Each structure stands twice: as structure tokens, then as C-alpha cells.
Amino acid sequence: PQSSDEESPVPDANSCSEKELVKLFQQEISPASETAASLKRTCGLHIAQSWDYARIAVGLSCKELQLLRVREGGELAVENRKLGRYASGIRGVRFFNGDPNSLLCCTEDGNVFMYDVRTGDEVYCFEDTSEGTKKTMTSCDINYNDRIMCASSEVQKNGDSFLLFFDVRERKYLGSYWECHSDDITHVRFHPSNPDLFASASVDGLINVFDISSQTEEDAMQYCFNAETSIDSINWHTDPTGRDLVSCVTTTNDLHLYDVESQDSVALFDRGQITQSLRRTSAIDCNVVGTHNLSNGSFFVLAGSNFNRGKDCLRTLRYDNKCLLPDRSFSDNKQIVRASVYNEKDQYLIATGECGLITLWKCRIDGTNDTGVNSASKSMKQKLHVSHRSKPY
């Protein structure tokens, strides 16, 4: 079912006047460019951008992978409508961190395809060759130096959920962790600058942080946070003082923020609070798409409303000192947004969603925010005890 299938007993609306909205949300930004993925009905589920911001890859519900070029001035141009076509659903799309021409696409049936986007050729297919039946994959990511790739799995019949590691250069399966989650692993993310630091999130409510240079899974486990609800996605952030933070968006559209090293719960915004910050009235329609980093150590949240199929509200909220402040409003949105990327160099927000559209908005940031994230009282700490096993690589 689509997000809009959830019925709201009361129609969602703005909670303040248009005049107040204009004052709170600095700009009403119209799309600079927009293209449809297909003439047939499809949904944009995943989106990734190359590190030089020149290309966008979009994973569609029709099991196709498309490649777009972002031209100078912000114009979107389709480069390859059928870079990949698969027998099973797409679960993740990631460009390499140091090579804008290399792209990974993870599929449900246990394969991760690597492409050279210049030629459109499939370079290699990483397969789950671990013991037992082939795992159903849920997400993938590649580390900072483009050497290690990790793919996550759904929970298996024996109750284990797997983190599968691959050597990208040697083109081989390295090993796995399997005792740190008790349900489907929904998202994996490597640290943006430390190639050994890695985080995973699950339906079991846990966010685990690993140092994969350690010899055993038990030693690799560094920190564990319990969100106490199913997690949809996670992201890394760094505050102005250099602290590593991890945020998570839950399946109920709440946002949690944790200090990694101290294991403090820094902030928690439930969907009611996010709805209030968006200046909307219906919390049940709140749709938190994700978070995006800014170079000044802050980040913003992209969120909207599912009411009227997402057309009435798509806005950003800026994180500042444990608060979510009104930031920007994006007009002429035609869909419930499911995934987005942010190009800070050119200040472009690019999103895709349930109507299969890829839309680019030009954001112009007029100031910077120097206020960092304050630490909070320590809470939700959890230790995990797992048996020793050999290092996965």
C-alpha cells in the first residue's frame, strides 16, 4: 500500500496563517527541474548522488535502476533509463565515495550489482555465499575508502539477521556478523570519514555501532542504542565540536538523536512534535523523509504531510540546540516523497517518491548556524553479549 492509503480522521491543514508561514519558512521554493521516471505507474524508492554531484541514481518499484545527469544550472537529464533491470526489488543504491563512475545496487534476492556508469556496464555481481540459504537483503553501503561493502538481511528462520561483508577490490565475500540483531536489519551506514566505523539499525529497535577492524564481532561492537521502536533509517552527523552523532527515523515517523561516544540520548522528537514544527495539524499524516548534513555541523530534517498525496506540504526543519526550527517550504510538490539527497555545494535538494517523479529544488542558504548540539543526560544505554568469532576480513 502507498503512504496515502492511511486515512486521517481529520484533514490535515496548516496550523497558522499564510502570513505567519511566510515569516517562519524563509523561502517558498519552486521546482527548478523535474522529470518522470516512466510513463507507467512506478514509485521512486531509493536515490543516491555521486560525490561530484554530477549524477543521480534512482531505484524504482518496477525493479529498474535509472541514471540521471545533473547539468549546470540544476537541469535534470535522463542518461540511462535502464541501467539495471532485476528479478527482485531494489533495496539500496549507493555511489562510491571516491569514484563518481562506480555505483552499487542491492536487490532483495541476495545480490549487489556494481556498475560503471560511463558505459552502463555491469562490472561485477556480489552474491551472498555465506552458509545456509541465500539471504534476503534489505540495504547496503560502502565504506569511506571504497574497500569494504556491507549488505544487511532480513531475519532468517533460525532467528539470526546477517551483516554480510565483501571486499570490493578483491571481489570476494569476507564474512558476517549475525548475533547483534533479532529482527530484520533495515539500514546500514558507514561513517562518512572513518572507514572502520559502521552502524546498523533494525526492526528490533537497536542501533549498533561497530569497529570492523576488530578481530571478533564482540570486540567490534562499540555502542548500542535502544530506540524502543522499529527503525526505518539512520544517518551520521558531526556537531561543531567534532562529536559523532547518529540519528534515526522510526517507522512511526519519530526522530531520535544520539551522541555515539557517550551514548547519550541527545534529543527525541515524536511525530506530534515534528508536526507542530511543520505548522501542520494532523500528526497521523506526518512523513519524515530523512536528514541531511550541513558543513557548519548542523543538519536539517526533510518532512511533509501524506494528506492529499503529499501535495500540500513538503518542508525542512533545521536542527538547533535540541530544537527543530522552521526552515524552508517547497512548493508544487506532486507526490509523497520517499527518498532525497542534498547537494550542499550547489544547494540543490533532489527528491523522488510515490508518483515516480524526480524533482530538483534550488535552495539558497543565506546564513550559517553556529549553535551545536548540547549533550543530554545519559539514557538508553544497553550492553550486548555475543560469542567470539573470527574477524570477517
Side-chain angles (χ1 to χ4, degrees), residues 63-66 80-86 90 115 120:
K63 304 173 185 176
E64 291 182 356
L65 177 65
Q66 292 192 358
N80 191 335
R81 284 201 181 274
K82 296 181 180 179
L83 180 62
R85 300 184 72 180
Y86 311 104
I90 296 173
Y115 294 94

Side-chain angles (χ1 to χ4, degrees), residues 189-221:
R189 288 298 299 268
F190 279 97
H191 189 276
S193 60
N194 184 339
D196 294 324
L197 209 56
F198 168 81
S200 62
S202 169
V203 173
D204 63 16
L206 300 182
I207 302 171
N208 294 323
V209 178
F210 303 91
D211 179 350
I212 62 171
S213 66
S214 301
Q215 293 296 319
T216 66
E217 182 176 353
E218 182 179 21
D219 292 338
M221 168 70 79

Side-chain angles (χ1 to χ4, degrees), residues 90-108:
I90 296 173
R91 292 299 187 93
V93 180
R94 294 291 292 175
F95 276 96
F96 279 42
N97 295 295
D99 181 1
N101 300 311
S102 294
L103 174 70
L104 295 172
C105 181
C106 171
T107 59
E108 187 177 320

Side-chain angles (χ1 to χ4, degrees), residues 167-187:
D167 188 312
V168 177
R169 295 175 186 173
E170 299 294 329
R171 310 278 201 264
K172 66 180 182 180
Y173 169 72
L174 296 170
S176 61
Y177 298 157
W178 64 85
E179 288 195 0
C180 292
H181 289 291
S182 59
D183 212 324
D184 296 350
I185 299 172
T186 52
H187 203 202

Side-chain angles (χ1 to χ4, degrees), residues 29 286 336:
I29 305 169
C286 180
I336 294 171

Side-chain angles (χ1 to χ4, degrees), residues 219-243:
D219 292 338
M221 168 70 79
Q222 302 296 300
Y223 311 102
C224 180
F225 310 99
N226 189 356
E228 300 183 347
T229 187
S230 178
I231 300 169
D232 181 65
S233 64
I234 53 176
N235 199 9
W236 288 93
H237 310 280
T238 304
D239 77 357
T241 67
R243 289 190 304 167

